[in-house]
């Protein structure tokens, strides 16, 4: 006989029905009943980590790779409030993370005492999460709970943003009706959709140098195959934004690279900034994507589809979800135009000599490694490690390219491996490693074996680049590779290109545990992208 449905099980089944494949979490007393159902029901696997920020980052990265929601489960207050930053990151970068928090029981609320983990009010955590989620609820009414769970989880899927559910600890085992199935998004008005698609194509046809710019929404809504088809039919060059790096990896399209204004590949910058018609699909209009340009992009000549809206010059069509738009465009284009699939040139052929390593040498070594073996999914942190990734051939990559939080890389790499079963390549600086690198200790339990490239310049180097006079950007010379064995992995400390190539080969061969390649970089040695970024921003500031 199957056990009667209770709130906890109803919730887990509803998550699974919406494509959730795993839960990351850290328990606490208010969340013990919730974690008990998670463990005993076996509906979804549970991965516990060490500190709540890592739980949020891992779930975020898993969601990005699945293009389905993932779950970050925590306890009330001391747990949940530790995870606000990762969920803010997921909100701004549109990653569908479901936050499940244990909460004070209904019985706890009426004792007249303040409760442990309470901040200002019992509802403080709920109020705080309102600001970083697209929908949220405290499930304190068991009758209405199924409808409310459906609403909140559907918003997570359909808007591709985080949501928050707080489960009072004494209701987890209360019997509960099943959660209704996913309600699809409201279909757009047919006439509006047709008019919009016609107008877009007319503008592209009139243009002399149209360019397609893609960003994360195309992946969030599972549209990479359809956008690939669209690129081929239009036959126009395509670039990703900085945030969208990794999109269309391996697709046969006229791919020109990643746009990054003054910091990017000058050919790509010229292509985008001189275009008379940019078509932006799913693009986030952030400063990291578009603010680093000396030549302002003329938005009156641009077409931007994002957040279920399409803006052409001065007018906007509302309720045009991206999947419907891409489908309408594809349907109007029959014969493919001639196009030439292209791959930009990336640095290859590192000389394995005694030269000191540079960020460019790291990218070159990774390109060579991927040619010799196979490509790996990448999780990158913020800092020069992410700029270095732009010199690695376009590959599935998750990174906080817009929100720009540090501490993402290591836990995100764990989330990637949990989600895909594939060994991840983690790129992280020493500053960010000090924040969340410790989470590698969880690898042994779950047999995760990422390869970590730790850029150790004993420095918050990106900050130094902006403000070289400050001594607070100096960090200590910590022997990170020596820590690896104690954490259940293997460490390699490398100074030269020869040692780097050796360490990479040894790491690929040793699949038994995580590999920490600590790459010693002199302070002040930057990737070419970060160098251009800093020079460009200084130039622009000086002019103001
Ligand atoms: C991408 C990620 C994973 C697999 C294939 C491509 C790139 C999309 C960028 C992204 C993010 O970092 O948010 O989803
Ligand atoms: Mg550093």
């Amino acid at each position: 006989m199957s056990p009667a449905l209770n709130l906890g099980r109803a919730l887990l089944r509803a998550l699974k029905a919406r494509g959730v494949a795993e839960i990351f979490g850290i328990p606490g007393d208010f969340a013990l009943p919730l974690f008990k159902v998670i463990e005993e029901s076996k509906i979804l696997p549970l991965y516990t980590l060490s500190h709540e920020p890592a739980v949020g980052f891992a779930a975020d990265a898993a969601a990005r790779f699945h293009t389905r929601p993932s779950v970050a489960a925590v306890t009330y207050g001391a747990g949940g409030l530790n995870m606000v930053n990762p969920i803010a990151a997921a909100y701004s970068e549109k990653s569908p993370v479901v936050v499940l928090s244990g909460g004070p029981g209904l019985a706890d609320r009426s004792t007249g005492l303040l409760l442990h983990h309470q901040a200002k009010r019992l509802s403080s955590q709920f109020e705080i999460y309102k600001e970083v989620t697209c929908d949220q609820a405290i499930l304190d009414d068991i009758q209405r709970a199924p409808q409310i769970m459906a609403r909140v989880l559907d918003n997570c899927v359909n808007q591709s943003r985080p949501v928050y559910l707080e489960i009072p600890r004494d209701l987890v085992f209360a019997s509960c009706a099943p959660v209704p199935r996913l309600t699809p998004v409201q279909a757009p008005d047919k006439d509006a959709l047709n008019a919009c698609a016609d107008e877009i194509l007319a503008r592209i046809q009139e243009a002399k140098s149209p360019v397609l710019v893609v960003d994360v929404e195309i992946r969030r809504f599972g549209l990479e195959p359809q956008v690939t088809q669209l690129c081929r039919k239009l036959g126009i060059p395509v670039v990703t934004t900085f945030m969208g790096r990794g999109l269309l990896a391996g697709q046969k399209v006229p791919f020109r690279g990643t746009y990054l204004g003054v910091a990017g590949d000058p050919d790509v910058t010229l292509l985008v900034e001189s275009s008379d018609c940019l078509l932006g699909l799913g693009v986030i209009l952030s400063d990291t994507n578009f603010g680093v340009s000396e030549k302002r992009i003329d938005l009156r000549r641009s077409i931007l589809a994002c957040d279920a809206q399409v803006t052409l010059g001065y007018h906007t069509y509302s309720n045009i979800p991206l999947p419907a738009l891409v489908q309408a465009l594809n349907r109007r284009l029959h014969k493919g135009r001639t196009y030439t699939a292209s791959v930009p040139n990336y640095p290859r052929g590192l000389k394995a000599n005694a030269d000191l390593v540079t960020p460019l040498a790291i990218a070159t070594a990774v390109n060579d490694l991927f040619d010799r073996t196979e490509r790996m999914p990448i999780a990158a942190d913020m800092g020069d490690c992410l700029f270095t990734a732009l010199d690695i051939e376009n590959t599935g990559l998750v990174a906080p390219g817009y929100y720009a939080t540090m501490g993402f890389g290591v836990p995100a790499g764990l989330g990637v491996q949990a989600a895909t079963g594939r060994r991840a390549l983690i790129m992280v600086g020493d500053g960010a490693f000090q924040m969340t690198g410790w989470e590698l200790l969880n690898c042994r339990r779950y047999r995760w074996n990422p390869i970590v490239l730790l850029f150790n310049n004993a420095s918050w180097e990106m900050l130094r680049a902006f403000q070289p006079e400050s001594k607070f950007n100096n960090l200590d010379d910590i022997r990170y590779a020596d820590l690896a064995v104690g954490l259940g992995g293997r460490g390699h400390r490398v100074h030269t290109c020869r040692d780097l190539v050796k360490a990479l080969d040894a790491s690929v061969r040793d699949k038994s545990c995580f590999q920490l390649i600590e790459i010693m970089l002199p302070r002040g040695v930057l990737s070419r992208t970060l160098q251009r970024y800093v020079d460009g921003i200084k130039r622009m500031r000086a002019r103001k």
Side-chain angles (χ1 to χ4, degrees):
M1 210 179 74
S2 71
L5 199 59
N6 56 40
L7 178 62
R9 277 178 182 265
L11 172 58
L12 294 171
R13 287 200 190 158
L15 289 166
K16 191 165 186 179
R18 283 159 182 79
V20 171
E22 71 285 299
I23 296 177
F24 301 90
I26 298 179
D29 65 340
F30 286 119
L32 281 171
L34 176 65
F35 276 70
K36 188 179 170 75
V37 191
I38 293 172
E39 181 172 83
E40 292 178 1
S41 70
K42 297 193 168 67
I43 293 170
L44 292 166
L46 169 68
Y47 303 108
T48 63
L49 300 176
S50 303
H51 196 204
E52 284 83 1
V55 171
F57 289 138
D60 175 339
R64 292 178 198 219
F65 260 87
H66 285 309
T67 69
R68 289 288 167 77
S70 186
V71 174
V74 290
T75 194
Y76 173 75
L81 296 183
N82 259 333
M83 208 170 64
V84 174
N85 177 59
I87 301 307
Y91 185 88
S92 51
E93 298 184 352
K94 305 188 183 196
S95 181
V97 177
V98 179
V99 177
L100 299 183
S101 178
L106 299 188
D108 302 326
R109 292 167 195 243
S110 49
T111 62
L113 297 172
L114 291 169
L115 292 185
H116 64 287
H117 303 337
Q118 174 175 346
K120 189 178 195 179
R121 282 180 281 265
L122 275 181
S123 59
S124 292
Q125 176 169 295
F126 172 77
E127 294 295 334
I128 289 166
Y129 269 96
K130 264 190 189 166
E131 205 51 33
V132 293
T133 55
C134 74
D135 198 359
Q136 55 294 121
I138 299 177
L139 298 175
D140 51 9
D141 178 343
I142 200 77
Q143 298 304 321
R144 292 174 58 226
Q147 292 300 334
I148 292 174
M149 287 190 274
R151 183 200 76 208
V152 170
L153 298 179
D154 291 355
N155 279 329
C156 178
V157 173
N158 292 335
Q159 296 181 35
S160 191
R161 298 268 201 195
V163 295
Y164 174 84
L165 287 172
E166 187 175 315
I167 303 105
R169 67 165 153 192
D170 54 4
L171 289 186
V172 171
F173 297 104
S175 62
C176 178
V179 177
R181 291 160 71 90
L182 180 82
T183 10
V185 278
Q186 188 202 338
D189 180 284
K190 276 224 169 60
D191 295 336
L193 178 64
N194 289 334
C196 178
D198 288 340
E199 208 179 325
I200 291 175
L201 291 181
R203 285 210 187 199
I204 292 177
Q205 249 111 49
E206 277 165 27
K208 287 200 192 67
S209 50
V211 174
L212 184 59
V213 184
V214 295
D215 199 355
V216 289
E217 269 193 12
I218 72 159
R219 182 170 181 87
R220 302 290 186 262
F221 296 110
L223 298 172
E224 281 174 284
Q226 291 85 335
V227 170
T228 295
Q229 200 187 11
L230 181 65
C231 288
R232 292 182 183 175
K233 286 181 168 180
L234 287 171
I236 65 178
V238 55
V239 302
T240 77
T241 60
F242 183 49
M243 184 64 229
R245 179 67 181 182
L247 293 169
L248 303 178
Q251 301 297 329
K252 294 219 170 348
V253 289
F255 181 70
R256 295 298 185 76
T258 294
Y259 173 73
L260 197 54
V262 291
D265 173 342
D267 292 341
V268 177
T269 302
L270 184 68
L271 177 77
V272 170
E273 293 180 358
S274 64
S275 165
D276 59 349
C277 180
L278 291 178
L279 170 56
L281 293 180
V283 299
I284 301 180
L285 284 181
S286 65
D287 58 351
T288 51
N289 277 343
F290 295 102
V292 281
S293 12
E294 279 176 297
K295 186 172 174 297
R296 288 277 147 203
I297 291 173
D298 187 354
L299 293 174
R300 284 166 305 188
R301 296 213 184 129
S302 306
I303 308 168
L304 298 170
C306 192
D307 288 321
Q309 288 199 343
V310 181
T311 301
L312 296 102
Y314 296 116
H315 63 284
T316 296
Y317 291 86
S318 52
N319 192 30
I320 309 281
L322 197 57
L325 178 69
V326 173
Q327 185 183 51
L329 291 171
N330 268 330
R331 284 205 178 138
R332 279 170 169 67
L333 295 163
H334 297 292
K335 292 193 302 287
R337 282 218 208 161
T338 45
Y339 71 90
T340 324
S342 56
V343 179
N345 280 323
Y346 293 102
R348 285 195 156 78
L350 183 71
K351 295 199 176 61
N353 56 23
D355 287 355
L356 291 185
V357 181
T358 61
L360 183 61
I362 299 174
T364 311
V366 171
N367 285 326
D368 292 344
L369 179 78
F370 285 175
D371 290 345
R372 279 200 300 284
T373 57
E374 54 179 359
R375 313 195 74 74
M376 296 167 71
I378 303 179
D381 215 288
M382 193 56 209
D384 205 16
C385 54
L386 178 54
F387 292 106
T388 300
L390 297 190
D391 281 321
I392 297 176
E393 189 165 325
N394 197 31
T395 296
L397 169 141
V398 288
Y402 159 34
Y403 184 80
T405 179
M406 287 168 69
F408 177 87
V410 168
L414 307 186
V416 168
Q417 186 154 12
T420 63
R422 293 171 66 199
R423 197 173 198 193
L425 184 73
I426 295 172
M427 301 175 67
V428 59
D430 56 325
F433 193 83
Q434 289 184 7
M435 295 179 177
T436 53
W438 185 249
E439 297 288 341
L440 286 172
L441 67 86
N442 295 294
C443 287
R444 189 165 49 195
R445 278 189 299 155
Y446 299 116
R447 298 176 194 277
W448 294 327
N449 56 359
I451 299 179
V452 184
L453 302 183
L454 170 52
F455 290 48
N456 187 3
N457 42 24
S459 176
W460 285 316
E461 191 59 42
M462 189 171 166
L463 299 184
R464 181 195 311 284
F466 285 108
Q467 198 167 284
E469 65 277 18
S470 299
K471 290 196 249 330
F472 54 68
N473 290 318
N474 295 344
L475 301 178
D476 242 331
D477 177 10
I478 305 297
R479 310 277 313 195
Y480 296 101
D482 288 350
L483 301 175
V485 172
L487 300 179
R490 181 169 163 206
H492 316 253
R493 189 180 231 231
V494 309
H495 292 83
T496 65
C497 293
R498 184 186 300 132
D499 292 346
L500 174 61
V501 173
K502 267 201 217 146
L504 283 168
D505 279 329
S507 295
V508 167
R509 277 197 307 273
D510 182 0
K511 298 190 171 55
S512 69
C513 58
F514 79 77
Q515 306 287 317
L516 180 59
I517 307 182
E518 180 191 9
I519 307 168
M520 304 309 296
L521 295 164
R523 287 181 182 156
V525 176
L526 308 181
S527 69
R528 42 192 192 177
T529 307
L530 181 55
Q531 192 63 61
R532 287 189 297 239
Y533 193 91
V534 173
D535 294 345
I537 286 189
K538 284 188 178 163
R539 238 181 6 251
M540 283 154 62
R541 283 191 191 149
R543 228 176 281 149
K544 274 185 196 147

